[in-house]
Coordinates of all heavy atoms in Angstrom, one line a residue:
M1 N -30.5 -39.8 -34.8 CA -31.8 -40.5 -34.5 C -32.9 -39.2 -34.5 O -32.7 -38.2 -34.0 CB -31.8 -41.1 -33.2 CG -33.1 -41.4 -32.6 SD -33.1 -42.4 -31.1 CE -31.6 -41.7 -30.2
K2 N -34.0 -39.6 -35.2 CA -35.1 -38.5 -35.2 C -36.2 -39.0 -34.2 O -36.8 -40.0 -34.3 CB -35.6 -38.4 -36.6 CG -36.7 -37.5 -36.8 CD -37.2 -37.2 -38.2 CE -38.2 -36.2 -38.4 NZ -39.5 -36.3 -37.8
I3 N -36.6 -38.2 -33.2 CA -37.6 -38.4 -32.3 C -38.8 -37.6 -32.9 O -38.8 -36.3 -33.0 CB -37.3 -38.0 -30.9 CG1 -36.1 -38.8 -30.5 CG2 -38.5 -38.2 -30.0 CD1 -36.2 -40.3 -30.1
D4 N -39.9 -38.3 -33.3 CA -41.1 -37.5 -33.8 C -41.9 -36.8 -32.7 O -42.4 -35.7 -33.0 CB -42.1 -38.5 -34.5 CG -41.5 -39.1 -35.8 OD1 -40.8 -38.6 -36.5 OD2 -41.9 -40.3 -36.0
H5 N -41.7 -37.1 -31.5 CA -42.5 -36.4 -30.4 C -41.6 -36.3 -29.3 O -41.5 -36.9 -28.3 CB -43.7 -37.4 -30.0 CG -44.7 -37.7 -31.0 ND1 -45.6 -36.7 -31.5 CD2 -44.9 -38.9 -31.7 CE1 -46.3 -37.4 -32.5 NE2 -45.9 -38.6 -32.6
P6 N -40.7 -35.2 -29.5 CA -39.7 -34.8 -28.5 C -40.3 -34.6 -27.1 O -39.6 -34.9 -26.0 CB -39.0 -33.6 -29.0 CG -39.9 -33.1 -30.1 CD -40.7 -34.1 -30.6
E7 N -41.5 -34.0 -27.0 CA -42.1 -33.8 -25.6 C -42.4 -35.1 -24.9 O -42.2 -35.3 -23.7 CB -43.5 -33.0 -25.7 CG -43.4 -31.8 -26.6 CD -43.5 -32.0 -28.1 OE1 -44.2 -33.1 -28.5 OE2 -43.0 -31.3 -29.0
R8 N -42.9 -36.0 -25.7 CA -43.2 -37.4 -25.0 C -41.9 -38.2 -24.6 O -41.8 -38.7 -23.6 CB -43.9 -38.3 -26.0 CG -45.4 -37.9 -26.3 CD -46.1 -38.8 -27.1 NE -46.3 -40.0 -26.4 CZ -47.0 -41.1 -26.9 NH1 -47.4 -41.2 -28.2 NH2 -47.1 -42.2 -26.1
Y9 N -40.8 -37.9 -25.4 CA -39.5 -38.5 -25.2 C -39.1 -37.9 -23.9 O -38.4 -38.6 -23.1 CB -38.6 -38.3 -26.3 CG -37.1 -38.7 -26.0 CD1 -36.8 -40.1 -26.0 CD2 -36.1 -37.8 -25.6 CE1 -35.6 -40.5 -25.6 CE2 -34.9 -38.2 -25.4 CZ -34.6 -39.4 -25.4 OH -33.3 -39.9 -25.0
D10 N -39.1 -36.6 -23.7 CA -38.7 -35.9 -22.6 C -39.4 -36.4 -21.3 O -38.7 -36.6 -20.2 CB -38.8 -34.4 -22.8 CG -37.8 -33.8 -23.7 OD1 -36.9 -34.4 -24.1 OD2 -38.1 -32.6 -24.1
R11 N -40.6 -36.6 -21.4 CA -41.4 -37.2 -20.3 C -41.1 -38.5 -19.9 O -40.9 -38.8 -18.8 CB -43.0 -37.0 -20.5 CG -43.5 -35.6 -20.4 CD -45.0 -35.6 -20.4 NE -45.7 -36.2 -21.6 CZ -46.0 -35.4 -22.8 NH1 -45.9 -34.1 -22.7 NH2 -46.6 -36.1 -23.8
F12 N -40.8 -39.2 -21.0 CA -40.3 -40.6 -20.8 C -38.9 -40.7 -20.1 O -38.8 -41.4 -19.0 CB -40.1 -41.3 -22.1 CG -39.7 -42.7 -22.1 CD1 -40.5 -43.9 -21.8 CD2 -38.4 -43.1 -22.3 CE1 -40.1 -45.2 -21.7 CE2 -37.9 -44.4 -22.2 CZ -38.8 -45.5 -21.9
M13 N -38.0 -39.9 -20.5 CA -36.7 -39.8 -19.8 C -36.7 -39.3 -18.4 O -36.2 -39.7 -17.4 CB -35.8 -39.1 -20.7 CG -35.4 -39.8 -22.0 SD -35.0 -41.5 -21.9 CE -33.7 -41.6 -20.7
D14 N -37.7 -38.2 -18.2 CA -37.8 -37.6 -16.9 C -38.4 -38.6 -15.9 O -38.0 -38.7 -14.7 CB -38.7 -36.4 -16.9 CG -38.1 -35.2 -17.6 OD1 -36.9 -35.2 -17.8 OD2 -38.8 -34.3 -18.1
A15 N -39.3 -39.5 -16.4 CA -39.9 -40.5 -15.5 C -38.7 -41.4 -15.0 O -38.7 -41.9 -13.9 CB -41.0 -41.2 -16.2
I16 N -37.9 -41.9 -15.9 CA -36.8 -42.8 -15.6 C -35.9 -42.1 -14.7 O -35.4 -42.7 -13.6 CB -36.1 -43.3 -16.9 CG1 -36.9 -44.3 -17.6 CG2 -34.8 -44.1 -16.5 CD1 -36.5 -44.8 -18.9
R17 N -35.4 -40.9 -15.0 CA -34.5 -40.2 -14.1 C -35.1 -40.1 -12.7 O -34.4 -40.2 -11.6 CB -34.3 -38.8 -14.7 CG -33.3 -37.9 -13.9 CD -33.0 -36.5 -14.7 NE -32.5 -36.7 -16.0 CZ -33.1 -36.5 -17.2 NH1 -34.4 -36.0 -17.2 NH2 -32.4 -36.7 -18.3
L18 N -36.4 -39.7 -12.7 CA -37.1 -39.6 -11.2 C -36.9 -40.8 -10.5 O -36.7 -40.9 -9.2 CB -38.5 -39.0 -11.4 CG -39.2 -38.9 -10.0 CD1 -38.6 -37.9 -9.3 CD2 -40.6 -38.5 -10.4
S19 N -37.3 -42.0 -11.1 CA -37.2 -43.3 -10.5 C -35.8 -43.5 -9.9 O -35.6 -44.0 -8.8 CB -37.7 -44.3 -11.5 OG -38.9 -44.3 -11.7
L20 N -34.9 -43.4 -10.8 CA -33.4 -43.5 -10.4 C -33.0 -42.7 -9.2 O -32.4 -43.1 -8.2 CB -32.5 -43.2 -11.5 CG -32.6 -44.2 -12.7 CD1 -31.5 -43.7 -13.8 CD2 -32.5 -45.6 -12.5
L21 N -33.5 -41.4 -9.2 CA -33.2 -40.6 -8.1 C -33.9 -40.9 -6.8 O -33.3 -41.0 -5.6 CB -33.7 -39.1 -8.4 CG -32.7 -38.4 -9.5 CD1 -33.3 -37.1 -9.9 CD2 -31.3 -38.2 -8.9
V22 N -35.1 -41.3 -6.9 CA -35.9 -41.8 -5.7 C -35.3 -43.1 -5.1 O -35.1 -43.2 -4.0 CB -37.5 -42.1 -6.0 CG1 -38.1 -42.9 -4.9 CG2 -38.1 -40.8 -6.4
W23 N -34.8 -44.0 -6.0 CA -34.3 -45.2 -5.6 C -32.9 -44.9 -4.8 O -32.7 -45.5 -3.8 CB -33.9 -46.2 -6.8 CG -35.1 -46.7 -7.5 CD1 -36.5 -46.5 -7.1 CD2 -35.0 -47.4 -8.8 NE1 -37.2 -47.1 -8.1 CE2 -36.4 -47.6 -9.0 CE3 -34.0 -48.0 -9.5 CZ2 -36.7 -48.4 -10.3 CZ3 -34.4 -48.5 -10.7 CH2 -35.7 -48.7 -11.0
R24 N -32.2 -44.0 -5.4 CA -30.9 -43.6 -4.7 C -31.1 -43.1 -3.4 O -30.4 -43.4 -2.5 CB -30.2 -42.7 -5.7 CG -28.8 -42.2 -5.1 CD -28.2 -41.1 -5.8 NE -29.0 -39.9 -5.7 CZ -28.8 -38.7 -6.3 NH1 -27.7 -38.7 -7.1 NH2 -29.5 -37.7 -6.2
D25 N -32.1 -42.3 -3.3 CA -32.3 -41.5 -2.1 C -32.9 -42.4 -1.0 O -32.7 -42.2 0.2 CB -33.2 -40.2 -2.3 CG -32.5 -39.2 -3.0 OD1 -31.1 -39.3 -3.1 OD2 -33.1 -38.2 -3.6
R26 N -33.7 -43.4 -1.4 CA -34.5 -44.1 -0.5 C -34.0 -45.6 -0.3 O -34.4 -46.3 0.5 CB -36.0 -44.3 -0.8 CG -36.6 -42.9 -0.7 CD -38.2 -43.0 -1.0 NE -38.8 -41.8 -0.9 CZ -40.0 -41.5 -1.4 NH1 -40.7 -42.6 -1.9 NH2 -40.6 -40.3 -1.4
G27 N -33.1 -45.9 -1.2 CA -32.6 -47.3 -1.4 C -31.6 -47.8 -0.4 O -31.3 -49.0 -0.3
G28 N -31.0 -46.9 0.3 CA -30.0 -47.3 1.3 C -28.7 -47.9 0.7 O -28.0 -48.6 1.3
R29 N -28.4 -47.5 -0.5 CA -27.2 -47.9 -1.2 C -26.3 -46.6 -1.3 O -26.8 -45.6 -1.6 CB -27.4 -48.4 -2.6 CG -28.4 -49.6 -2.7 CD -27.8 -50.8 -2.4 NE -28.6 -52.0 -2.7 CZ -29.0 -52.8 -1.8 NH1 -28.7 -52.7 -0.6 NH2 -29.7 -53.9 -2.1
N30 N -25.0 -46.9 -1.2 CA -24.1 -45.8 -1.4 C -23.5 -45.9 -2.8 O -23.7 -46.8 -3.5 CB -23.0 -45.8 -0.3 CG -22.2 -47.1 -0.4 OD1 -21.8 -47.6 -1.3 ND2 -21.7 -47.5 0.8
A31 N -22.8 -44.8 -3.1 CA -22.2 -44.7 -4.5 C -21.3 -45.8 -4.7 O -21.2 -46.3 -5.8 CB -21.6 -43.4 -4.7
A32 N -20.5 -46.3 -3.7 CA -19.6 -47.4 -4.0 C -20.3 -48.6 -4.4 O -19.7 -49.4 -5.4 CB -18.8 -47.6 -2.8
Q33 N -21.4 -49.0 -3.8 CA -22.2 -50.2 -4.3 C -22.7 -50.0 -5.6 O -22.8 -51.0 -6.3 CB -23.2 -50.3 -3.2 CG -22.9 -50.7 -1.8 CD -24.1 -50.7 -0.8 OE1 -24.8 -49.6 -0.7 NE2 -24.2 -51.8 -0.1
L34 N -23.2 -48.9 -5.9 CA -23.6 -48.7 -7.2 C -22.6 -48.9 -8.2 O -22.8 -49.5 -9.4 CB -24.4 -47.3 -7.4 CG -25.2 -47.1 -8.7 CD1 -26.1 -48.1 -9.0 CD2 -25.9 -45.7 -8.5
C35 N -21.5 -48.1 -8.0 CA -20.3 -48.2 -8.9 C -19.8 -49.7 -9.1 O -19.4 -50.2 -10.2 CB -19.2 -47.5 -8.4 SG -19.4 -45.7 -8.3
E36 N -19.8 -50.5 -8.0 CA -19.4 -51.8 -8.1 C -20.3 -52.7 -8.9 O -20.0 -53.5 -9.7 CB -19.3 -52.4 -6.6 CG -18.8 -53.9 -6.6 CD -18.7 -54.4 -5.2 OE1 -18.5 -53.6 -4.2 OE2 -18.9 -55.7 -5.0
K37 N -21.6 -52.5 -8.7 CA -22.7 -53.3 -9.4 C -22.6 -52.9 -10.9 O -22.7 -53.8 -11.8 CB -24.0 -53.0 -8.9 CG -25.1 -53.5 -9.6 CD -25.3 -55.1 -9.3 CE -26.4 -55.8 -9.9 NZ -26.5 -57.2 -9.8
L38 N -22.5 -51.6 -11.3 CA -22.4 -51.2 -12.6 C -21.0 -51.4 -13.2 O -20.9 -51.2 -14.5 CB -23.0 -49.8 -12.8 CG -24.4 -49.6 -12.4 CD1 -24.7 -48.2 -12.5 CD2 -25.3 -50.5 -13.2
E39 N -20.1 -51.7 -12.4 CA -18.7 -51.8 -12.9 C -18.2 -50.5 -13.7 O -17.6 -50.7 -14.8 CB -18.4 -53.0 -13.8 CG -18.7 -54.3 -13.0 CD -18.6 -55.6 -13.8 OE1 -18.7 -55.5 -15.1 OE2 -18.4 -56.6 -13.2
M40 N -18.5 -49.4 -13.0 CA -18.0 -48.1 -13.5 C -17.5 -47.2 -12.5 O -17.9 -47.3 -11.3 CB -19.1 -47.5 -14.5 CG -20.5 -47.2 -13.9 SD -21.7 -46.5 -14.8 CE -22.0 -47.8 -16.1
S41 N -16.9 -46.0 -13.0 CA -16.4 -45.1 -12.0 C -17.7 -44.3 -11.5 O -18.6 -44.2 -12.0 CB -15.4 -44.2 -12.7 OG -16.1 -43.3 -13.4
E42 N -17.4 -43.6 -10.3 CA -18.5 -42.8 -9.7 C -18.7 -41.6 -10.8 O -19.8 -41.2 -10.8 CB -17.9 -42.2 -8.4 CG -18.9 -41.6 -7.6 CD -18.5 -41.3 -6.2 OE1 -17.6 -41.9 -5.6 OE2 -19.1 -40.3 -5.7
R43 N -17.8 -41.1 -11.3 CA -18.0 -40.0 -12.3 C -18.9 -40.5 -13.4 O -19.9 -39.7 -13.8 CB -16.6 -39.6 -12.9 CG -16.8 -38.5 -13.9 CD -15.4 -38.0 -14.3 NE -15.5 -37.0 -15.4 CZ -14.5 -36.7 -16.2 NH1 -13.5 -37.3 -16.2 NH2 -14.8 -35.7 -17.1
T44 N -18.7 -41.7 -13.9 CA -19.7 -42.3 -15.1 C -21.1 -42.4 -14.5 O -22.1 -42.2 -15.0 CB -19.1 -43.6 -15.6 OG1 -17.8 -43.3 -16.1 CG2 -20.0 -44.0 -16.7
V45 N -21.2 -43.0 -13.2 CA -22.5 -43.2 -12.6 C -23.3 -41.8 -12.5 O -24.4 -41.7 -12.7 CB -22.4 -43.9 -11.2 CG1 -23.6 -43.8 -10.3 CG2 -21.9 -45.3 -11.4
H46 N -22.5 -40.8 -12.1 CA -23.1 -39.5 -12.0 C -23.6 -38.9 -13.3 O -24.6 -38.4 -13.4 CB -22.2 -38.5 -11.2 CG -22.1 -38.7 -9.8 ND1 -23.1 -38.6 -8.8 CD2 -21.0 -39.2 -9.1 CE1 -22.6 -38.8 -7.7 NE2 -21.4 -39.1 -7.8
R47 N -22.9 -39.3 -14.4 CA -23.2 -38.9 -15.6 C -24.6 -39.6 -16.0 O -25.5 -39.1 -16.7 CB -22.2 -39.2 -16.7 CG -21.3 -38.0 -17.1 CD -20.6 -38.3 -18.3 NE -19.9 -39.4 -18.5 CZ -18.8 -39.9 -18.1 NH1 -17.9 -39.1 -17.5 NH2 -18.4 -41.2 -18.4
R48 N -24.7 -40.9 -15.7 CA -25.9 -41.7 -16.0 C -27.0 -41.1 -15.3 O -28.2 -41.1 -15.8 CB -25.6 -43.1 -15.7 CG -24.5 -43.9 -16.3 CD -24.8 -44.0 -17.8 NE -24.2 -44.9 -18.5 CZ -23.0 -44.8 -19.1 NH1 -22.4 -43.5 -19.2 NH2 -22.3 -45.7 -19.7
F49 N -26.9 -40.6 -14.1 CA -28.0 -40.0 -13.3 C -28.6 -38.8 -14.0 O -29.7 -38.6 -14.2 CB -27.5 -39.6 -11.8 CG -27.8 -40.5 -10.8 CD1 -26.8 -41.0 -10.1 CD2 -29.1 -41.1 -10.5 CE1 -27.0 -42.0 -9.0 CE2 -29.4 -42.0 -9.5 CZ -28.3 -42.4 -8.7
R50 N -27.6 -37.9 -14.5 CA -27.9 -36.7 -15.2 C -28.5 -37.0 -16.5 O -29.2 -36.3 -17.0 CB -26.7 -35.8 -15.2 CG -26.3 -35.0 -14.1 CD -25.3 -34.0 -14.2 NE -24.2 -34.5 -15.0 CZ -23.0 -35.1 -14.4 NH1 -23.0 -35.3 -13.2 NH2 -22.0 -35.5 -15.2
S51 N -28.0 -38.1 -17.3 CA -28.4 -38.3 -18.6 C -28.8 -39.8 -18.7 O -28.0 -40.6 -19.3 CB -27.3 -38.0 -19.5 OG -26.9 -36.6 -19.5
P52 N -30.0 -40.2 -18.2 CA -30.2 -41.6 -18.2 C -30.4 -42.2 -19.6 O -30.3 -43.4 -19.8 CB -31.5 -41.8 -17.4 CG -32.1 -40.4 -17.5 CD -30.9 -39.5 -17.5
E53 N -30.6 -41.3 -20.6 CA -30.5 -41.8 -22.0 C -29.2 -42.5 -22.3 O -29.2 -43.2 -23.5 CB -31.0 -40.8 -23.0 CG -30.0 -39.6 -23.1 CD -30.1 -38.5 -22.0 OE1 -30.9 -38.6 -21.1 OE2 -29.5 -37.5 -22.2
T54 N -28.2 -42.3 -21.7 CA -26.9 -42.9 -22.0 C -26.8 -44.3 -21.3 O -25.8 -45.1 -21.8 CB -25.8 -42.0 -21.6 OG1 -25.7 -41.9 -20.1 CG2 -25.9 -40.6 -22.2
L55 N -27.7 -44.6 -20.5 CA -27.7 -46.0 -19.9 C -27.9 -47.1 -21.1 O -28.7 -47.0 -22.0 CB -28.8 -46.2 -19.0 CG -28.6 -45.6 -17.6 CD1 -29.9 -45.6 -16.8 CD2 -27.5 -46.5 -16.8
T56 N -27.1 -48.1 -21.0 CA -27.4 -49.2 -21.8 C -28.5 -50.2 -21.1 O -28.7 -49.9 -19.9 CB -26.1 -50.2 -22.0 OG1 -25.8 -50.8 -20.7 CG2 -24.9 -49.4 -22.6
L57 N -29.1 -51.0 -21.9 CA -30.1 -51.8 -21.3 C -29.5 -52.8 -20.2 O -30.2 -53.0 -19.1 CB -30.8 -52.7 -22.3 CG -31.8 -52.0 -23.2 CD1 -32.2 -52.9 -24.4 CD2 -32.8 -51.3 -22.5
A58 N -28.2 -53.2 -20.3 CA -27.7 -54.0 -19.3 C -27.5 -53.0 -18.1 O -27.6 -53.7 -16.9 CB -26.3 -54.5 -19.9
E59 N -27.0 -52.0 -18.1 CA -26.8 -51.0 -17.0 C -28.1 -50.7 -16.3 O -28.2 -50.8 -15.2 CB -26.1 -49.7 -17.4 CG -24.7 -49.9 -17.9 CD -24.2 -48.7 -18.6 OE1 -25.0 -47.7 -19.0 OE2 -23.0 -48.7 -18.9
L60 N -29.1 -50.5 -17.1 CA -30.4 -50.2 -16.6 C -31.0 -51.6 -15.7 O -31.4 -51.4 -14.6 CB -31.5 -49.9 -17.6 CG -32.9 -49.6 -17.0 CD1 -33.0 -48.3 -16.2 CD2 -33.8 -49.4 -18.2
Y61 N -30.7 -52.7 -16.3 CA -31.1 -53.9 -15.8 C -30.4 -54.2 -14.4 O -31.0 -54.4 -13.4 CB -30.9 -55.1 -16.6 CG -31.6 -56.4 -16.1 CD1 -32.9 -56.7 -16.5 CD2 -30.9 -57.2 -15.4 CE1 -33.5 -57.8 -16.1 CE2 -31.5 -58.4 -14.9 CZ -32.9 -58.7 -15.3 OH -33.5 -59.9 -14.8
A62 N -29.1 -53.9 -14.4 CA -28.3 -54.1 -13.2 C -28.7 -53.1 -12.1 O -28.7 -53.4 -11.0 CB -26.8 -53.9 -13.6
W63 N -29.0 -51.8 -12.5 CA -29.4 -50.9 -11.6 C -30.8 -51.3 -10.9 O -30.8 -51.3 -9.7 CB -29.8 -49.5 -12.4 CG -29.5 -48.3 -11.7 CD1 -30.2 -47.9 -10.5 CD2 -28.8 -47.2 -12.0 NE1 -29.8 -46.7 -10.0 CE2 -29.0 -46.2 -11.0 CE3 -28.0 -46.9 -13.0 CZ2 -28.4 -45.0 -11.1 CZ3 -27.4 -45.6 -13.1 CH2 -27.5 -44.7 -12.2
C64 N -31.7 -51.8 -11.6 CA -32.9 -52.4 -11.1 C -32.6 -53.5 -10.2 O -33.2 -53.7 -9.1 CB -33.9 -52.8 -12.2 SG -34.6 -51.4 -13.2
E65 N -31.7 -54.4 -10.6 CA -31.4 -55.5 -9.7 C -30.9 -55.1 -8.3 O -31.3 -55.6 -7.3 CB -30.2 -56.4 -10.4 CG -30.7 -57.4 -11.2 CD -29.6 -58.3 -11.8 OE1 -28.5 -58.0 -11.7 OE2 -30.0 -59.5 -12.2
L66 N -30.0 -54.0 -8.4 CA -29.4 -53.5 -7.2 C -30.5 -53.0 -6.2 O -30.5 -53.2 -5.0 CB -28.5 -52.5 -7.5 CG -27.8 -51.8 -6.2 CD1 -26.8 -52.9 -5.5 CD2 -26.8 -50.7 -6.6
Y67 N -31.5 -52.4 -6.7 CA -32.5 -51.7 -5.9 C -33.8 -52.8 -5.8 O -34.8 -52.3 -5.2 CB -33.0 -50.4 -6.5 CG -31.8 -49.4 -6.2 CD1 -30.9 -49.1 -7.2 CD2 -31.7 -48.9 -4.9 CE1 -30.0 -48.1 -6.9 CE2 -30.7 -47.9 -4.7 CZ -29.8 -47.5 -5.6 OH -28.8 -46.6 -5.4
G68 N -33.8 -53.9 -6.4 CA -34.9 -54.9 -6.3 C -36.1 -54.4 -7.0 O -37.2 -54.6 -6.5
K69 N -35.9 -53.7 -8.2 CA -37.0 -53.3 -9.0 C -37.1 -54.1 -10.1 O -36.1 -54.7 -10.7 CB -36.7 -51.8 -9.3 CG -36.6 -50.8 -8.2 CD -37.8 -50.7 -7.2 CE -37.6 -49.9 -6.0 NZ -38.6 -49.8 -5.2
D70 N -38.3 -54.0 -10.8 CA -38.6 -54.7 -12.0 C -38.4 -53.7 -13.2 O -39.0 -52.7 -13.3 CB -40.1 -55.1 -11.9 CG -40.5 -55.9 -13.3 OD1 -39.6 -55.9 -14.2 OD2 -41.6 -56.4 -13.2
P71 N -37.4 -54.1 -14.1 CA -37.0 -53.2 -15.1 C -38.2 -53.0 -16.1 O -38.5 -51.9 -16.6 CB -35.9 -53.8 -15.9 CG -35.8 -55.2 -15.4 CD -36.5 -55.3 -14.1
C72 N -39.0 -54.1 -16.3 CA -40.2 -53.9 -17.2 C -41.1 -53.0 -16.6 O -41.8 -52.1 -17.3 CB -40.8 -55.2 -17.4 SG -39.8 -56.5 -18.4
E73 N -41.4 -53.0 -15.4 CA -42.4 -52.0 -14.7 C -41.8 -50.6 -14.7 O -42.6 -49.7 -15.0 CB -42.4 -52.3 -13.1 CG -43.5 -51.6 -12.5 CD -43.7 -52.1 -11.0 OE1 -43.7 -53.3 -10.8 OE2 -43.7 -51.2 -10.2
L74 N -40.5 -50.4 -14.5 CA -40.0 -49.1 -14.8 C -40.1 -48.5 -16.1 O -40.7 -47.5 -16.3 CB -38.4 -49.1 -14.5 CG -37.6 -47.9 -14.8 CD1 -38.0 -46.7 -14.0 CD2 -36.2 -48.0 -14.9
L75 N -39.9 -49.4 -17.1 CA -40.2 -48.8 -18.6 C -41.6 -48.6 -18.8 O -42.1 -47.6 -19.5 CB -39.5 -49.9 -19.5 CG -38.0 -50.0 -19.5 CD1 -37.5 -51.0 -20.4 CD2 -37.3 -48.6 -19.8
L76 N -42.5 -49.4 -18.4 CA -43.9 -49.2 -18.5 C -44.4 -48.0 -17.8 O -45.3 -47.2 -18.5 CB -44.7 -50.4 -18.0 CG -44.7 -51.6 -18.9 CD1 -45.4 -52.9 -18.2 CD2 -45.5 -51.4 -20.1
Q77 N -44.0 -47.7 -16.7 CA -44.4 -46.5 -15.9 C -43.9 -45.3 -16.7 O -44.5 -44.4 -16.8 CB -43.8 -46.4 -14.5 CG -44.6 -47.5 -13.6 CD -43.8 -47.6 -12.2 OE1 -42.7 -47.0 -12.0 NE2 -44.5 -48.2 -11.4
A78 N -42.6 -45.3 -17.1 CA -42.1 -44.2 -17.9 C -42.9 -44.0 -19.2 O -43.2 -42.9 -19.5 CB -40.6 -44.4 -18.3
F79 N -43.2 -45.0 -19.9 CA -44.2 -45.0 -21.1 C -45.4 -44.4 -20.7 O -45.9 -43.5 -21.5 CB -44.3 -46.4 -21.7 CG -45.2 -46.4 -23.0 CD1 -44.8 -45.9 -24.1 CD2 -46.5 -47.1 -22.9 CE1 -45.6 -45.8 -25.3 CE2 -47.3 -47.0 -23.9 CZ -46.9 -46.4 -25.1
E80 N -46.1 -44.7 -19.8 CA -47.4 -44.2 -19.3 C -47.3 -42.7 -19.0 O -48.0 -41.9 -19.5 CB -48.0 -45.0 -18.1 CG -48.4 -46.4 -18.5 CD -49.7 -46.4 -19.6 OE1 -50.4 -45.5 -19.4 OE2 -49.5 -47.3 -20.3
A81 N -46.2 -42.4 -18.4 CA -46.0 -40.9 -18.1 C -45.7 -40.2 -19.4 O -46.1 -38.9 -19.5 CB -44.6 -40.8 -17.2
S82 N -45.2 -40.8 -20.4 CA -44.8 -40.1 -21.6 C -46.2 -39.7 -22.4 O -46.2 -38.9 -23.2 CB -44.0 -40.8 -22.6 OG -44.6 -41.9 -23.0
K83 N -47.2 -40.5 -22.1 CA -48.6 -40.3 -22.9 C -49.3 -39.2 -22.2 O -50.4 -38.8 -22.8 CB -49.3 -41.6 -22.9 CG -48.6 -42.6 -23.5 CD -49.5 -43.9 -23.7 CE -50.1 -44.5 -22.6 NZ -50.9 -45.7 -22.8
C84 N -48.9 -38.6 -21.0 CA -49.8 -37.5 -20.5 C -49.8 -36.3 -21.4 O -48.7 -36.0 -22.0 CB -49.2 -37.1 -19.0 SG -49.2 -38.4 -17.9
E85 N -51.0 -35.7 -21.6 CA -51.1 -34.5 -22.3 C -50.6 -33.3 -21.5 O -50.8 -33.3 -20.3 CB -52.6 -34.3 -22.7 CG -53.1 -35.5 -23.5 CD -52.4 -35.4 -24.9 OE1 -52.0 -34.5 -25.4 OE2 -52.1 -36.6 -25.4
D86 N -50.1 -32.4 -22.2 CA -49.6 -31.1 -21.6 C -50.7 -30.3 -21.1 O -51.8 -30.1 -21.6 CB -48.8 -30.3 -22.4 CG -47.4 -31.0 -22.7 OD1 -47.4 -32.1 -23.5 OD2 -46.3 -30.6 -22.1

């Protein structure tokens, strides 16, 4: 896959990663609950945290459900963050 604007892509992914980290830290959920919701091992969940670009849309949606977040809002916020000028 060719990304024409890698800096924008990096900002987009960083915004998603930050949201996932904030939700994890403030969400009152433990790793076991997240693993159960996503139906994956703890190791895989940790990989998704480090590399959210590997999340499927279904996994992202389930993650949002678990934390009571709107997946469309998450993606819109990440898109807006990607437009920021350096």
Side-chain angles (χ1 to χ4, degrees):
M1 160 175 42
K2 182 179 183 295
I3 303 291
D4 291 332
H5 302 284
E7 311 83 27
R8 289 184 71 181
Y9 174 76
D10 290 342
R11 285 193 298 265
F12 179 81
M13 294 313 303
D14 286 346
I16 291 175
R17 185 178 295 111
L18 178 60
S19 292
L20 298 180
L21 290 171
V22 168
W23 298 352
R24 181 189 66 183
D25 292 345
R26 295 185 182 167
R29 304 274 191 244
N30 62 34
Q33 291 171 306
L34 188 53
C35 292
E36 182 180 332
K37 179 69 173 176
L38 297 175
E39 298 179 336
M40 59 181 61
S41 71
E42 190 170 333
R43 184 176 175 198
T44 302
V45 168
H46 287 292
R47 265 198 320 270
R48 297 299 197 263
F49 267 122
R50 286 190 307 274
S51 303
E53 65 274 7
T54 64
L55 281 166
T56 66
L57 289 175
E59 291 167 353
L60 182 63
Y61 192 89
W63 207 308
C64 290
E65 275 188 338
L66 181 65
Y67 288 100
K69 304 296 181 181
D70 181 350
C72 293
E73 186 177 315
L74 169 65
L75 293 174
L76 282 171
Q77 288 172 352
F79 177 72
E80 287 302 318
S82 75
K83 294 191 305 186
C84 295
E85 295 298 320
D86 292 75

